[in-house]
Coordinates of all heavy atoms in Angstrom, one line a residue:
M1 N -18.3 -106.2 -195.1 CA -17.1 -105.7 -194.4 C -16.6 -104.5 -195.2 O -16.3 -104.6 -196.4 CB -16.1 -106.8 -194.2 CG -16.5 -107.9 -193.3 SD -16.0 -107.6 -191.7 CE -14.2 -107.9 -191.8
K2 N -16.3 -103.4 -194.5 CA -15.7 -102.3 -195.2 C -14.7 -101.7 -194.3 O -14.8 -101.6 -193.1 CB -16.8 -101.2 -195.5 CG -17.7 -101.5 -196.6 CD -18.4 -100.2 -197.0 CE -19.2 -100.5 -198.3 NZ -19.8 -99.2 -198.8
L3 N -13.5 -101.4 -194.9 CA -12.4 -100.7 -194.2 C -12.8 -99.3 -193.8 O -13.1 -98.5 -194.8 CB -11.1 -100.8 -195.0 CG -9.9 -100.0 -194.5 CD1 -9.5 -100.7 -193.2 CD2 -8.8 -100.1 -195.5
V4 N -12.8 -98.9 -192.6 CA -13.3 -97.6 -192.2 C -12.1 -96.8 -191.8 O -12.1 -95.5 -191.9 CB -14.3 -97.7 -191.2 CG1 -13.8 -98.2 -189.8 CG2 -15.0 -96.4 -191.0
Y5 N -11.1 -97.4 -191.3 CA -10.0 -96.5 -190.7 C -8.7 -97.4 -190.7 O -8.7 -98.6 -190.3 CB -10.3 -96.1 -189.3 CG -9.3 -95.2 -188.7 CD1 -9.1 -93.9 -189.2 CD2 -8.5 -95.6 -187.7 CE1 -8.2 -93.0 -188.6 CE2 -7.5 -94.7 -187.1 CZ -7.4 -93.5 -187.6 OH -6.5 -92.7 -187.1
T6 N -7.6 -96.8 -191.0 CA -6.3 -97.4 -190.9 C -5.3 -96.4 -190.5 O -5.4 -95.2 -190.9 CB -5.8 -98.2 -192.1 OG1 -4.7 -99.0 -191.8 CG2 -5.6 -97.3 -193.3
S7 N -4.3 -96.7 -189.8 CA -3.3 -95.8 -189.3 C -2.0 -96.6 -189.0 O -2.1 -97.8 -188.6 CB -3.6 -94.9 -188.2 OG -2.5 -94.3 -187.7
E8 N -0.8 -96.0 -189.3 CA 0.4 -96.8 -188.8 C 0.4 -96.8 -187.3 O 1.2 -97.6 -186.7 CB 1.6 -96.1 -189.4 CG 1.8 -94.6 -188.9 CD 3.1 -94.0 -189.5 OE1 3.9 -94.8 -189.9 OE2 3.0 -92.8 -189.7
N9 N -0.4 -95.9 -186.6 CA -0.4 -95.8 -185.1 C -1.5 -96.7 -184.6 O -2.6 -96.4 -184.7 CB -0.6 -94.4 -184.7 CG -0.5 -94.2 -183.2 OD1 -0.7 -95.2 -182.5 ND2 -0.1 -93.0 -182.8
R10 N -1.1 -97.9 -184.1 CA -2.1 -98.9 -183.7 C -2.9 -98.4 -182.5 O -4.0 -98.9 -182.3 CB -1.5 -100.2 -183.4 CG -0.6 -100.3 -182.2 CD 0.2 -101.6 -182.1 NE 1.1 -101.7 -181.0 CZ 0.8 -101.9 -179.7 NH1 -0.5 -102.3 -179.5 NH2 1.6 -101.9 -178.8
F11 N -2.3 -97.4 -181.8 CA -3.1 -96.8 -180.6 C -4.3 -96.0 -181.2 O -5.3 -96.1 -180.6 CB -2.2 -96.0 -179.8 CG -1.1 -96.7 -179.1 CD1 0.1 -96.7 -179.6 CD2 -1.4 -97.5 -178.0 CE1 1.2 -97.4 -179.0 CE2 -0.4 -98.2 -177.4 CZ 0.9 -98.2 -177.9
L12 N -4.1 -95.3 -182.2 CA -5.1 -94.6 -182.9 C -6.3 -95.5 -183.4 O -7.5 -95.2 -183.2 CB -4.7 -93.7 -184.0 CG -3.9 -92.4 -183.6 CD1 -3.4 -91.7 -184.8 CD2 -4.7 -91.6 -182.7
V13 N -5.8 -96.6 -184.0 CA -6.8 -97.5 -184.6 C -7.5 -98.2 -183.4 O -8.8 -98.3 -183.5 CB -6.1 -98.6 -185.4 CG1 -7.1 -99.6 -185.9 CG2 -5.4 -98.0 -186.6
G14 N -6.9 -98.5 -182.3 CA -7.6 -99.1 -181.2 C -8.6 -98.0 -180.6 O -9.7 -98.4 -180.2
N15 N -8.2 -96.8 -180.6 CA -9.1 -95.8 -180.1 C -10.3 -95.7 -181.0 O -11.4 -95.5 -180.5 CB -8.4 -94.4 -180.0 CG -9.1 -93.5 -179.1 OD1 -9.4 -93.7 -177.9 ND2 -9.5 -92.4 -179.7
A16 N -10.1 -95.7 -182.3 CA -11.2 -95.6 -183.2 C -12.1 -96.8 -183.0 O -13.3 -96.7 -183.1 CB -10.6 -95.7 -184.6
R17 N -11.5 -98.0 -182.7 CA -12.4 -99.1 -182.5 C -13.2 -98.9 -181.2 O -14.5 -99.2 -181.3 CB -11.5 -100.4 -182.2 CG -12.3 -101.6 -182.0 CD -11.5 -102.7 -181.5 NE -10.6 -102.3 -180.3 CZ -9.7 -103.1 -179.8 NH1 -9.4 -104.3 -180.3 NH2 -9.0 -102.7 -178.7
N18 N -12.7 -98.3 -180.2 CA -13.5 -98.1 -179.0 C -14.6 -97.1 -179.3 O -15.7 -97.2 -178.7 CB -12.5 -97.5 -177.9 CG -11.5 -98.6 -177.4 OD1 -11.7 -99.7 -177.7 ND2 -10.4 -98.1 -176.9
I19 N -14.3 -96.1 -180.1 CA -15.3 -95.1 -180.4 C -16.5 -95.7 -181.1 O -17.7 -95.5 -180.7 CB -14.7 -94.0 -181.3 CG1 -13.7 -93.1 -180.5 CG2 -15.8 -93.1 -181.9 CD1 -12.8 -92.3 -181.4
L20 N -16.2 -96.6 -182.1 CA -17.3 -97.2 -182.8 C -18.0 -98.3 -182.0 O -19.2 -98.4 -182.0 CB -16.7 -97.8 -184.1 CG -16.1 -96.8 -185.1 CD1 -15.7 -97.5 -186.3 CD2 -17.1 -95.7 -185.3
A21 N -17.2 -99.0 -181.2 CA -17.9 -100.0 -180.3 C -18.8 -99.3 -179.3 O -19.9 -99.8 -179.0 CB -16.8 -100.7 -179.5
A22 N -18.4 -98.1 -178.9 CA -19.3 -97.4 -177.9 C -20.6 -97.0 -178.6 O -21.6 -96.7 -177.9 CB -18.5 -96.2 -177.3
K23 N -20.6 -96.9 -179.9 CA -21.8 -96.5 -180.6 C -22.6 -97.7 -181.0 O -23.5 -97.7 -181.8 CB -21.4 -95.7 -181.9 CG -20.9 -94.3 -181.5 CD -20.7 -93.5 -182.8 CE -20.4 -92.0 -182.4 NZ -21.5 -91.4 -181.7
G24 N -22.1 -98.9 -180.6 CA -22.8 -100.1 -181.0 C -22.6 -100.6 -182.4 O -23.4 -101.5 -182.9
I25 N -21.5 -100.2 -183.0 CA -21.2 -100.6 -184.3 C -20.2 -101.9 -184.2 O -19.2 -101.8 -183.6 CB -20.5 -99.5 -185.1 CG1 -21.5 -98.4 -185.3 CG2 -20.0 -100.0 -186.5 CD1 -20.9 -97.1 -185.9
D26 N -20.5 -102.9 -184.9 CA -19.6 -104.0 -184.9 C -18.4 -103.8 -185.8 O -18.5 -103.5 -186.9 CB -20.4 -105.3 -185.5 CG -21.3 -105.9 -184.6 OD1 -21.0 -105.8 -183.3 OD2 -22.2 -106.6 -184.9
V27 N -17.3 -103.9 -185.2 CA -16.1 -103.7 -185.9 C -15.1 -104.8 -185.6 O -15.2 -105.5 -184.6 CB -15.4 -102.4 -185.5 CG1 -16.2 -101.1 -186.0 CG2 -15.2 -102.3 -184.0
T28 N -14.1 -104.9 -186.5 CA -13.1 -105.9 -186.3 C -11.7 -105.3 -186.7 O -11.7 -104.5 -187.6 CB -13.4 -107.2 -187.1 OG1 -12.4 -108.2 -186.8 CG2 -13.4 -106.9 -188.6
L29 N -10.7 -105.7 -186.0 CA -9.4 -105.2 -186.4 C -8.6 -106.3 -187.1 O -8.8 -107.5 -186.9 CB -8.6 -105.0 -185.0 CG -8.8 -103.6 -184.4 CD1 -7.9 -103.6 -183.1 CD2 -8.3 -102.5 -185.3
R30 N -7.9 -105.8 -188.1 CA -7.0 -106.7 -188.9 C -5.6 -106.2 -188.7 O -5.4 -105.0 -188.5 CB -7.4 -106.8 -190.3 CG -8.7 -107.4 -190.6 CD -8.9 -107.5 -192.1 NE -10.2 -108.2 -192.3 CZ -10.7 -108.4 -193.5 NH1 -10.0 -108.0 -194.6 NH2 -11.8 -109.1 -193.7
N31 N -4.6 -107.0 -188.7 CA -3.2 -106.7 -188.6 C -2.9 -106.1 -187.4 O -1.9 -105.4 -187.2 CB -2.8 -105.7 -189.7 CG -3.0 -106.2 -191.1 OD1 -3.0 -107.4 -191.3 ND2 -3.1 -105.4 -192.1
E32 N -3.7 -106.4 -186.3 CA -3.5 -105.7 -185.0 C -2.1 -106.0 -184.5 O -1.4 -105.2 -183.9 CB -4.5 -106.2 -184.0 CG -4.4 -105.5 -182.7 CD -5.6 -105.9 -181.7 OE1 -6.2 -106.9 -182.0 OE2 -5.8 -105.2 -180.7
H33 N -1.7 -107.3 -184.7 CA -0.4 -107.7 -184.1 C 0.6 -107.9 -185.2 O 1.6 -108.6 -185.0 CB -0.6 -108.9 -183.2 CG -1.6 -108.7 -182.2 ND1 -1.4 -107.8 -181.1 CD2 -2.8 -109.3 -181.9 CE1 -2.4 -107.9 -180.3 NE2 -3.3 -108.7 -180.8
A34 N 0.4 -107.4 -186.4 CA 1.2 -107.7 -187.5 C 2.6 -107.2 -187.4 O 3.5 -107.7 -187.9 CB 0.6 -107.2 -188.8
A35 N 2.7 -106.0 -186.7 CA 4.0 -105.4 -186.6 C 5.1 -106.2 -186.0 O 6.2 -106.2 -186.4 CB 3.9 -104.1 -185.9
S36 N 4.6 -107.1 -185.1 CA 5.6 -107.9 -184.4 C 6.0 -109.2 -185.2 O 7.0 -109.8 -185.0 CB 5.1 -108.4 -183.0 OG 3.9 -109.1 -183.2
A37 N 5.2 -109.5 -186.2 CA 5.4 -110.6 -187.1 C 5.8 -110.1 -188.5 O 5.5 -110.8 -189.5 CB 4.2 -111.5 -187.1
L38 N 6.3 -109.1 -188.6 CA 6.4 -108.2 -189.8 C 7.3 -108.9 -190.9 O 6.9 -109.0 -192.0 CB 6.9 -106.9 -189.5 CG 6.9 -105.8 -190.6 CD1 5.6 -105.8 -191.3 CD2 7.2 -104.5 -190.1
G39 N 8.5 -109.3 -190.6 CA 9.4 -109.8 -191.6 C 9.8 -108.7 -192.6 O 10.1 -107.6 -192.1
E40 N 9.8 -109.0 -193.8 CA 10.3 -108.1 -194.8 C 9.2 -107.2 -195.4 O 9.4 -106.5 -196.4 CB 11.0 -108.8 -195.9 CG 12.3 -109.6 -195.5 CD 11.9 -110.9 -195.0 OE1 11.1 -111.6 -195.7 OE2 12.5 -111.3 -193.9
L41 N 8.0 -107.4 -195.0 CA 6.9 -106.6 -195.6 C 7.2 -105.1 -195.4 O 7.6 -104.7 -194.4 CB 5.5 -106.9 -194.9 CG 5.0 -108.3 -195.3 CD1 3.8 -108.6 -194.4 CD2 4.6 -108.4 -196.7
P42 N 6.8 -104.3 -196.4 CA 6.8 -102.8 -196.2 C 5.9 -102.5 -195.0 O 4.9 -103.1 -194.8 CB 6.2 -102.3 -197.5 CG 6.3 -103.4 -198.5 CD 6.3 -104.7 -197.7
A43 N 6.3 -101.4 -194.3 CA 5.6 -101.1 -193.1 C 4.1 -100.9 -193.3 O 3.3 -101.3 -192.5 CB 6.3 -99.8 -192.5
F44 N 3.7 -100.2 -194.4 CA 2.3 -99.9 -194.5 C 1.5 -101.1 -194.7 O 0.3 -101.2 -194.5 CB 2.1 -98.9 -195.7 CG 2.4 -99.5 -197.0 CD1 1.4 -100.2 -197.8 CD2 3.6 -99.3 -197.6 CE1 1.7 -100.7 -199.0 CE2 3.9 -99.8 -198.9 CZ 2.9 -100.5 -199.6
E45 N 2.1 -102.3 -195.2 CA 1.3 -103.5 -195.3 C 0.9 -104.0 -193.9 O -0.1 -104.8 -193.9 CB 2.2 -104.6 -195.9 CG 2.7 -104.3 -197.4 CD 1.7 -104.7 -198.4 OE1 0.5 -105.0 -197.9 OE2 1.9 -104.6 -199.5
A46 N 1.5 -103.6 -192.9 CA 1.2 -104.1 -191.6 C 0.4 -103.2 -190.7 O 0.2 -103.3 -189.6 CB 2.5 -104.5 -190.8
W47 N 0.0 -102.0 -191.3 CA -0.9 -101.1 -190.6 C -2.1 -101.8 -190.1 O -2.8 -102.5 -190.8 CB -1.3 -99.9 -191.5 CG -0.3 -98.9 -191.7 CD1 1.1 -99.1 -191.5 CD2 -0.4 -97.6 -192.2 NE1 1.7 -97.9 -191.8 CE2 0.8 -97.0 -192.3 CE3 -1.6 -96.9 -192.5 CZ2 0.9 -95.6 -192.6 CZ3 -1.4 -95.6 -193.0 CH2 -0.2 -94.9 -193.0
P48 N -2.4 -101.6 -188.8 CA -3.7 -102.2 -188.3 C -4.8 -101.5 -189.1 O -4.8 -100.4 -189.3 CB -3.7 -101.8 -186.9 CG -2.7 -100.8 -186.7 CD -1.7 -100.8 -187.8
E49 N -5.8 -102.4 -189.4 CA -7.0 -101.9 -190.1 C -8.3 -102.1 -189.3 O -8.5 -103.2 -188.7 CB -7.2 -102.6 -191.4 CG -6.0 -102.4 -192.4 CD -6.1 -103.2 -193.6 OE1 -6.9 -104.3 -193.6 OE2 -5.3 -102.9 -194.5
L50 N -9.1 -101.1 -189.3 CA -10.4 -101.2 -188.6 C -11.5 -101.3 -189.6 O -11.6 -100.5 -190.6 CB -10.6 -100.0 -187.8 CG -11.9 -100.0 -186.9 CD1 -11.7 -101.0 -185.8 CD2 -12.1 -98.6 -186.3
W51 N -12.2 -102.4 -189.6 CA -13.3 -102.7 -190.5 C -14.6 -102.7 -189.8 O -14.7 -103.2 -188.7 CB -13.1 -104.1 -191.2 CG -11.9 -104.2 -192.0 CD1 -10.6 -104.2 -191.6 CD2 -11.9 -104.4 -193.4 NE1 -9.8 -104.4 -192.7 CE2 -10.6 -104.5 -193.8 CE3 -12.9 -104.5 -194.4 CZ2 -10.1 -104.6 -195.2 CZ3 -12.5 -104.7 -195.8 CH2 -11.2 -104.8 -196.1
V52 N -15.7 -102.2 -190.5 CA -17.0 -102.4 -190.0 C -17.6 -103.6 -190.6 O -17.4 -104.0 -191.7 CB -18.0 -101.2 -190.3 CG1 -17.5 -99.9 -189.6 CG2 -18.0 -100.9 -191.8
V53 N -18.2 -104.4 -189.7 CA -18.7 -105.7 -190.1 C -19.9 -105.6 -191.0 O -20.1 -106.3 -192.0 CB -19.1 -106.5 -188.8 CG1 -19.8 -107.9 -189.2 CG2 -17.8 -106.8 -188.0
N54 N -20.8 -104.7 -190.7 CA -22.0 -104.4 -191.4 C -21.9 -103.2 -192.4 O -21.7 -102.1 -191.8 CB -23.2 -104.3 -190.6 CG -23.4 -105.5 -189.7 OD1 -23.5 -106.6 -190.1 ND2 -23.5 -105.2 -188.4
D55 N -21.9 -103.4 -193.7 CA -21.8 -102.3 -194.6 C -22.6 -101.1 -194.3 O -22.3 -99.9 -194.6 CB -22.0 -102.8 -196.1 CG -20.9 -103.7 -196.5 OD1 -20.0 -103.9 -195.7 OD2 -20.9 -104.1 -197.7
E56 N -23.9 -101.4 -193.8 CA -24.8 -100.3 -193.6 C -24.4 -99.4 -192.4 O -24.9 -98.3 -192.2 CB -26.3 -100.8 -193.3 CG -26.3 -101.7 -192.1 CD -26.2 -103.2 -192.5 OE1 -25.5 -103.5 -193.5 OE2 -26.9 -104.0 -191.9
D57 N -23.4 -99.8 -191.6 CA -22.9 -99.0 -190.6 C -21.7 -98.1 -191.0 O -21.2 -97.3 -190.3 CB -22.3 -99.9 -189.4 CG -23.4 -100.5 -188.6 OD1 -24.6 -100.0 -188.6 OD2 -23.2 -101.6 -188.0
Y58 N -21.3 -98.3 -192.3 CA -20.1 -97.6 -192.7 C -20.2 -96.1 -192.6 O -19.3 -95.4 -192.1 CB -19.8 -98.0 -194.2 CG -18.6 -97.4 -194.7 CD1 -17.3 -97.9 -194.4 CD2 -18.7 -96.4 -195.7 CE1 -16.2 -97.3 -195.0 CE2 -17.6 -95.8 -196.2 CZ -16.3 -96.2 -195.8 OH -15.3 -95.7 -196.4
D59 N -21.3 -95.6 -193.1 CA -21.5 -94.1 -193.2 C -21.5 -93.6 -191.7 O -20.9 -92.6 -191.4 CB -22.8 -93.7 -193.9 CG -22.6 -93.9 -195.4 OD1 -21.5 -94.0 -195.9 OD2 -23.7 -94.0 -196.1
T60 N -22.2 -94.3 -190.9 CA -22.3 -93.9 -189.4 C -20.9 -93.9 -188.9 O -20.5 -93.0 -188.1 CB -23.2 -94.8 -188.7 OG1 -24.5 -94.8 -189.4 CG2 -23.4 -94.3 -187.3
A61 N -20.1 -94.9 -189.2 CA -18.8 -95.1 -188.6 C -17.9 -94.0 -189.1 O -17.1 -93.4 -188.3 CB -18.2 -96.5 -189.0
C62 N -17.9 -93.7 -190.4 CA -17.1 -92.7 -190.9 C -17.4 -91.3 -190.3 O -16.5 -90.5 -190.0 CB -17.3 -92.5 -192.4 SG -16.5 -93.8 -193.4
E63 N -18.7 -91.1 -190.1 CA -19.1 -89.8 -189.5 C -18.6 -89.7 -188.1 O -18.0 -88.7 -187.6 CB -20.6 -89.7 -189.5 CG -21.1 -88.4 -189.2 CD -20.8 -87.2 -190.1 OE1 -20.5 -87.6 -191.3 OE2 -20.9 -86.0 -189.8
A64 N -18.8 -90.7 -187.3 CA -18.4 -90.8 -185.9 C -16.9 -90.6 -185.8 O -16.4 -89.8 -184.9 CB -18.7 -92.1 -185.3
L65 N -16.1 -91.2 -186.7 CA -14.6 -91.1 -186.7 C -14.2 -89.7 -187.1 O -13.2 -89.2 -186.6 CB -14.0 -92.1 -187.5 CG -14.1 -93.6 -187.0 CD1 -13.4 -94.6 -187.9 CD2 -13.5 -93.6 -185.5
R66 N -14.9 -89.2 -188.0 CA -14.5 -87.8 -188.5 C -14.7 -86.8 -187.4 O -13.8 -86.0 -187.2 CB -15.4 -87.4 -189.7 CG -14.9 -86.2 -190.4 CD -15.4 -86.1 -191.8 NE -16.7 -86.4 -192.0 CZ -17.2 -87.4 -192.8 NH1 -16.4 -88.1 -193.6 NH2 -18.5 -87.7 -192.9
H67 N -15.7 -87.0 -186.6 CA -15.9 -86.1 -185.5 C -14.9 -86.4 -184.4 O -14.3 -85.4 -183.8 CB -17.3 -86.3 -184.9 CG -18.4 -85.6 -185.6 ND1 -18.5 -84.2 -185.6 CD2 -19.4 -86.1 -186.3 CE1 -19.5 -83.9 -186.3 NE2 -20.2 -85.0 -186.7
A68 N -14.6 -87.7 -184.2 CA -13.7 -88.0 -183.0 C -12.2 -87.8 -183.3 O -11.5 -87.4 -182.4 CB -14.0 -89.4 -182.6
L69 N -11.9 -88.0 -184.6 CA -10.4 -88.1 -184.8 C -9.9 -86.8 -185.6 O -8.8 -86.6 -185.7 CB -10.1 -89.3 -185.7 CG -10.5 -90.6 -185.1 CD1 -10.2 -91.8 -186.0 CD2 -9.7 -90.8 -183.7
S70 N -10.8 -86.0 -186.1 CA -10.4 -85.0 -186.9 C -10.8 -83.6 -186.3 O -11.4 -82.8 -187.0 CB -11.0 -85.1 -188.3 OG -10.6 -86.3 -188.9
E71 N -10.5 -83.4 -185.1 CA -10.8 -82.2 -184.4 C -9.8 -81.2 -184.8 O -8.8 -80.9 -184.2 CB -10.8 -82.4 -182.9 CG -11.9 -83.4 -182.4 CD -11.7 -83.6 -180.9 OE1 -11.4 -82.7 -180.2 OE2 -11.9 -84.8 -180.5
K72 N -10.1 -80.6 -186.0 CA -9.1 -79.7 -186.6 C -8.8 -78.5 -185.8 O -9.7 -77.9 -185.2 CB -9.6 -79.3 -188.0 CG -9.9 -80.4 -188.9 CD -9.2 -80.1 -190.3 CE -9.5 -81.2 -191.3 NZ -9.3 -82.6 -190.8
G73 N -7.5 -78.2 -185.7 CA -7.1 -77.1 -184.9 C -6.9 -77.4 -183.4 O -6.4 -76.6 -182.7
T74 N -7.3 -78.6 -183.1 CA -7.0 -78.9 -181.7 C -5.6 -79.6 -181.6 O -5.3 -80.6 -182.2 CB -8.0 -80.0 -181.2 OG1 -9.4 -79.5 -181.5 CG2 -7.9 -80.3 -179.7
P75 N -4.8 -78.9 -180.8 CA -3.4 -79.4 -180.7 C -3.3 -80.7 -179.9 O -4.2 -81.0 -179.1 CB -2.6 -78.3 -180.0 CG -3.7 -77.6 -179.2 CD -5.0 -77.7 -180.0
P76 N -2.2 -81.4 -180.1 CA -2.0 -82.6 -179.2 C -1.9 -82.1 -177.7 O -1.6 -80.9 -177.5 CB -0.7 -83.1 -179.6 CG -0.4 -82.6 -181.0 CD -1.1 -81.2 -181.0
W77 N -2.3 -82.9 -176.8 CA -2.2 -82.6 -175.4 C -1.0 -83.3 -174.8 O -0.6 -84.3 -175.3 CB -3.5 -82.9 -174.6 CG -4.0 -84.3 -174.7 CD1 -4.6 -84.9 -175.7 CD2 -3.7 -85.3 -173.8 NE1 -4.9 -86.2 -175.5 CE2 -4.3 -86.5 -174.3 CE3 -3.1 -85.4 -172.5 CZ2 -4.3 -87.7 -173.5 CZ3 -3.0 -86.5 -171.8 CH2 -3.6 -87.7 -172.3
R78 N -0.5 -82.7 -173.8 CA 0.7 -83.2 -173.1 C 0.4 -83.8 -171.8 O -0.3 -83.2 -171.0 CB 1.8 -82.1 -173.0 CG 3.2 -82.7 -172.6 CD 4.2 -81.5 -172.7 NE 4.5 -81.1 -174.0 CZ 5.3 -81.8 -175.0 NH1 5.9 -82.9 -174.5 NH2 5.5 -81.4 -176.1
C79 N 0.8 -85.0 -171.6 CA 0.5 -85.7 -170.4 C 1.1 -85.0 -169.2 O 2.3 -84.7 -169.2 CB 1.1 -87.1 -170.4 SG 0.8 -88.1 -169.0
S80 N 0.3 -84.8 -168.1 CA 0.8 -84.2 -167.0 C 1.7 -85.0 -166.1 O 2.4 -84.5 -165.2 CB -0.4 -83.6 -166.1 OG -1.3 -84.8 -165.8
N81 N 1.6 -86.3 -166.4 CA 2.4 -87.2 -165.6 C 3.7 -87.5 -166.2 O 4.8 -87.4 -165.5 CB 1.6 -88.6 -165.4 CG 2.4 -89.5 -164.5 OD1 2.7 -89.2 -163.4 ND2 2.5 -90.8 -165.0
C82 N 3.8 -87.9 -167.4 CA 5.1 -88.3 -168.0 C 5.6 -87.4 -169.1 O 6.7 -87.4 -169.6 CB 5.0 -89.7 -168.6 SG 4.0 -89.8 -170.1
G83 N 4.7 -86.4 -169.5 CA 5.2 -85.4 -170.4 C 5.1 -85.8 -171.8 O 5.4 -85.0 -172.8
E84 N 4.6 -87.0 -172.2 CA 4.5 -87.4 -173.6 C 3.3 -86.6 -174.2 O 2.3 -86.2 -173.6 CB 4.1 -88.9 -173.6 CG 5.3 -89.8 -173.5 CD 6.3 -89.6 -174.6 OE1 5.9 -89.2 -175.7 OE2 7.4 -90.0 -174.4
E85 N 3.5 -86.4 -175.5 CA 2.5 -85.7 -176.3 C 1.5 -86.8 -176.8 O 1.9 -87.8 -177.3 CB 3.1 -85.0 -177.5 CG 2.4 -83.8 -177.9 CD 3.2 -82.9 -178.9 OE1 3.4 -83.3 -180.1 OE2 3.7 -81.8 -178.5
N86 N 0.2 -86.4 -176.7 CA -0.8 -87.4 -177.1 C -1.8 -86.7 -178.2 O -2.1 -85.6 -178.0 CB -1.6 -87.8 -175.9 CG -0.8 -88.7 -175.0 OD1 -0.7 -89.9 -175.2 ND2 -0.3 -88.1 -174.0
D87 N -2.1 -87.5 -179.2 CA -3.0 -87.0 -180.2 C -4.4 -86.7 -179.5 O -4.8 -87.3 -178.5 CB -3.2 -88.1 -181.3 CG -4.0 -87.5 -182.4 OD1 -5.2 -87.6 -182.4 OD2 -3.4 -87.1 -183.4
V88 N -5.1 -85.8 -180.1 CA -6.4 -85.4 -179.5 C -7.4 -86.6 -179.4 O -8.3 -86.5 -178.7 CB -7.1 -84.2 -180.3 CG1 -6.2 -82.9 -180.1 CG2 -7.2 -84.6 -181.7
A89 N -7.1 -87.5 -180.3 CA -8.1 -88.7 -180.3 C -8.0 -89.5 -179.0 O -8.8 -90.3 -178.8 CB -7.7 -89.6 -181.5
F90 N -6.9 -89.4 -178.3 CA -6.7 -90.1 -177.1 C -7.4 -89.5 -175.9 O -7.3 -88.3 -175.7 CB -5.2 -90.3 -176.7 CG -4.4 -91.1 -177.6 CD1 -3.5 -90.6 -178.5 CD2 -4.7 -92.5 -177.7 CE1 -2.7 -91.4 -179.3 CE2 -4.0 -93.3 -178.7 CZ -3.0 -92.7 -179.4
D91 N -8.0 -90.3 -175.1 CA -8.6 -89.9 -173.8 C -7.7 -90.1 -172.7 O -8.0 -89.7 -171.5 CB -10.0 -90.6 -173.5 CG -11.0 -90.1 -174.6 OD1 -10.9 -88.9 -174.9 OD2 -11.9 -90.8 -174.9
F92 N -6.6 -90.9 -172.9 CA -5.6 -91.1 -171.9 C -4.3 -91.2 -172.5 O -4.2 -91.5 -173.7 CB -6.0 -92.3 -171.1 CG -6.2 -93.6 -171.9 CD1 -5.1 -94.4 -172.3 CD2 -7.4 -94.0 -172.3 CE1 -5.2 -95.5 -173.0 CE2 -7.6 -95.1 -173.2 CZ -6.5 -95.9 -173.5
C93 N -3.2 -91.1 -171.7 CA -1.9 -91.1 -172.3 C -1.5 -92.4 -172.8 O -1.7 -93.5 -172.1 CB -0.9 -90.7 -171.1 SG 0.8 -90.7 -171.6
W94 N -1.0 -92.5 -174.0 CA -0.6 -93.8 -174.6 C 0.6 -94.4 -173.9 O 0.8 -95.6 -173.9 CB -0.2 -93.6 -176.1 CG 1.0 -92.8 -176.3 CD1 1.0 -91.4 -176.6 CD2 2.3 -93.2 -176.4 NE1 2.2 -91.0 -176.7 CE2 3.1 -92.1 -176.6 CE3 3.0 -94.4 -176.2 CZ2 4.5 -92.1 -176.7 CZ3 4.4 -94.5 -176.3 CH2 5.1 -93.3 -176.5
C95 N 1.3 -93.5 -173.2 CA 2.5 -94.0 -172.5 C 2.3 -94.5 -171.2 O 2.7 -95.6 -170.8 CB 3.5 -92.8 -172.5 SG 5.1 -93.2 -171.8
C96 N 1.5 -93.8 -170.3 CA 1.4 -94.2 -168.9 C 0.0 -94.3 -168.5 O -0.3 -94.5 -167.3 CB 2.1 -93.1 -168.0 SG 1.3 -91.5 -167.9
S97 N -1.0 -94.1 -169.5 CA -2.4 -94.3 -169.2 C -3.0 -93.3 -168.2 O -4.1 -93.5 -167.7 CB -2.7 -95.7 -168.7 OG -2.3 -96.7 -169.6
T98 N -2.3 -92.2 -168.0 CA -2.9 -91.1 -167.2 C -4.1 -90.5 -168.0 O -4.0 -90.3 -169.2 CB -1.9 -90.1 -166.8 OG1 -0.9 -90.7 -166.0 CG2 -2.5 -88.9 -166.1
D99 N -5.2 -90.2 -167.3 CA -6.3 -89.6 -168.0 C -6.0 -88.3 -168.5 O -5.2 -87.5 -168.0 CB -7.5 -89.5 -167.0 CG -8.1 -90.7 -166.7 OD1 -8.0 -91.7 -167.5 OD2 -8.9 -90.8 -165.7
R100 N -6.6 -88.0 -169.7 CA -6.4 -86.7 -170.3 C -7.0 -85.6 -169.4 O -8.0 -85.7 -168.8 CB -7.3 -86.7 -171.6 CG -7.2 -85.4 -172.4 CD -8.1 -85.7 -173.7 NE -8.2 -84.6 -174.5 CZ -8.7 -84.7 -175.8 NH1 -9.3 -85.8 -176.1 NH2 -8.7 -83.6 -176.5
P101 N -6.2 -84.5 -169.2 CA -6.7 -83.4 -168.4 C -8.0 -82.9 -168.9 O -8.2 -82.8 -170.1 CB -5.5 -82.4 -168.4 CG -4.4 -83.1 -169.0 CD -4.9 -84.2 -169.8
G102 N -8.9 -82.5 -168.0 CA -10.1 -81.9 -168.4 C -11.1 -82.8 -168.9 O -12.1 -82.4 -169.4
T103 N -11.0 -84.1 -168.7 CA -12.0 -85.0 -169.2 C -12.6 -85.7 -167.9 O -12.0 -85.8 -167.0 CB -11.5 -86.0 -170.1 OG1 -10.4 -86.8 -169.5 CG2 -11.0 -85.5 -171.4
Ligands
ZN1 ZN1 1.8 -90.1 -169.7

C-alpha cells in the first residue's frame, strides 16, 4: 500500500480515485468521512487519502494523476448552470453535477 494522493478537497480525492479505478488500478480511500467525525484533530489530519493497494501500480498511478490533475495553465472552469468554479480535474460540477462544458 502506498499513498498516492491526498488533498483537503475530498472531491478532488474522489476524482483521483475514479481516474485510477478507470485504469484498473486497485485503490482505497482513507479518511473519506473523517471530516464529519473530526473532533479536535488538526484539519490536515483528516484529509482524505488515496492509496494504491499494489505497490507496483504506484508509478503508473502517479503518472496518471500527474496528467489528470496537473494540467498546468488550464484555468478552473465555471459551471454554466450554477456558476460555481470547478477545478480542471472535475468532469462535472461539484455543486450541481452539471457536466463540464465541452466534454
Ligand atoms: Zn454547477
Side-chain angles (χ1 to χ4, degrees):
M1 292 268 287
K2 284 193 174 186
L3 176 64
V4 67
Y5 184 72
T6 186
S7 168
E8 64 183 333
N9 185 333
R10 66 187 177 88
F11 296 101
L12 286 179
V13 178
N15 195 61
R17 179 191 54 185
N18 292 341
I19 290 164
L20 297 185
K23 290 185 172 295
I25 297 173
D26 278 336
V27 291
T28 185
L29 275 179
R30 292 184 179 178
N31 297 337
E32 185 178 13
H33 303 296
S36 58
L38 186 53
E40 297 87 41
L41 289 173
F44 67 87
E45 295 278 7
W47 282 18
E49 296 174 345
L50 186 66
W51 293 69
V52 290
V53 175
N54 302 307
D55 287 2
E56 59 266 34
D57 287 335
Y58 179 77
D59 289 341
T60 307
C62 284
E63 188 69 17
L65 290 180
R66 190 156 45 236
H67 279 295
L69 300 176
S70 304
E71 298 174 35
K72 299 230 183 308
T74 306
W77 57 277
R78 192 171 290 281
C79 176
S80 58
N81 183 52
C82 70
E84 280 293 338
E85 208 168 72
N86 290 278
D87 190 274
V88 293
F90 290 113
D91 289 330
F92 54 87
C93 177
W94 64 267
C95 180
C96 70
S97 299
T98 297
D99 284 342
R100 179 180 181 171
T103 57

